[in-house]
Amino acid sequence: MSVAGLGVRRPLLAVASMLSILMGCGQRPSAQVSLCGPTGQLRVGYVGAEEGRGSAGQAVLLDPDISRLRDLLTIASRCEVSLEPVASPEQARQRLGAGEWDLAFLPPGLAALAMEGTGNRDYSLLRPLGQRSQSRSQLLVSSGSDRRTLAQLNGARLGLLPRGSLTGFYLPLYNLHGLRLQSVHYALSYRELLDQLRAGRLDVIAWDASLPDPGPDVRVIVDDPNLIPVGALVLSQPLVAADHQPFLKLLDQSAAQLPPSLGYVAGVLPEAQRLQRLRTVVTNVESWSLPLKGQPYAVYGRKQQLNAEGAD
């Protein structure tokens, strides 16, 4: 999906139409307060909460959802909105690190990375995103593999989601600490990784336990016990310090108008404590020399243990 032109101002008629719909539902903008970033726009990133579940070339958001979301954000912020949906968590991580987004809809790994600052910008968590599930990070091998322990993954060909994913990148590498891998490969979805495992091109892949059972031809070799919290809507710290409450209030009032795939929960704070705990994993892995696609990789560096709370 091309995102060219997504930052162009929507016709005033479209915004007025959305405004009349919201006002017809009794949802009126609270105060004449604009919430704009340093560029004079509100730059918004969208990754979504269901990372790794799509397929290559699948749109992150459908065009009608993009239009509706941008119009609603324009009304709530009273500012020109530049909306950038991205499929790869690595792209999103780069945008966050460069301070290129003022507001972002993020899965849990990126929310954990953003919550205490990344690169040039600090972010605060505003609202939870996504549906509660039994999401946990796993590593899968073929059922016929002779590898049965973590240590036996030494020298394996590993498949991961791009950098930025908690279940598909950070936790798998954290659990493989101390091993040397023959090569590391990436895909945008767990289904692509599974296809490569079945084709014999990979020896072990990252997996999310909340996905449907992949079948009897694969088995779990590493099952991380940590339940993954949902994602979050985050806002840059300078805008948090500004008067952002009218903006947030209108989003809460208009939650039914947001794309259902967001899983936006009005009036509820994100699970900062749970995300903070798993941010230990993110910050440790980010401090390592990270793997290049198709290259050998030694999983070494500091490894601070999670606190005594254990799995959720």
Side-chain angles (χ1 to χ4, degrees), residues 195-255:
D195 289 344
Q196 292 185 52
L197 179 66
R198 286 173 169 157
R201 293 192 289 271
L202 296 173
D203 302 308
V204 57
I205 63 169
W207 189 256
D208 189 323
S210 67
L211 291 169
D213 189 328
D217 59 335
V218 298
R219 58 181 167 81
V220 177
I221 190 170
V222 175
D223 191 359
D224 188 278
N226 294 285
L227 278 177
I228 307 300
V230 296
L233 174 65
V234 304
L235 184 66
S236 67
Q237 201 59 46
L239 295 189
V240 170
D243 186 5
H244 70 286
Q245 290 302 322
F247 168 83
L248 192 57
K249 180 178 180 181
L250 194 142
L251 282 190
D252 283 350
Q253 292 173 339
S254 311

Side-chain angles (χ1 to χ4, degrees), residues 35 42-49 69 73 83 96 102-108 110-112 114-115 123-130 230-236 240 244 247-249 251-252 258 262-266 268-271 275:
L35 192 72
L42 183 67
R43 300 167 300 173
V44 180
Y46 175 92
V47 190
L69 178 59
L73 291 171
L83 175 61
L96 291 167
D102 306 306
L103 181 83
F105 297 87
L106 301 177
L110 289 168
M115 67 185 298
Y123 294 87
S124 290
L125 310 181
L126 294 185
R127 290 291 183 263
L129 301 175
V230 296
L233 174 65
V234 304
L235 184 66
S236 67
V240 170
H244 70 286
F247 168 83
L248 192 57
K249 180 178 180 181
L251 282 190
D252 283 350
L258 292 168
L262 278 181
Y264 182 95
V265 182
V268 176
L269 294 176
E271 300 171 295
L275 281 169

Side-chain angles (χ1 to χ4, degrees), residues 31-45:
Q32 303 294 321
V33 176
S34 295
L35 192 72
C36 303
T39 64
Q41 297 180 321
L42 183 67
R43 300 167 300 173
V44 180

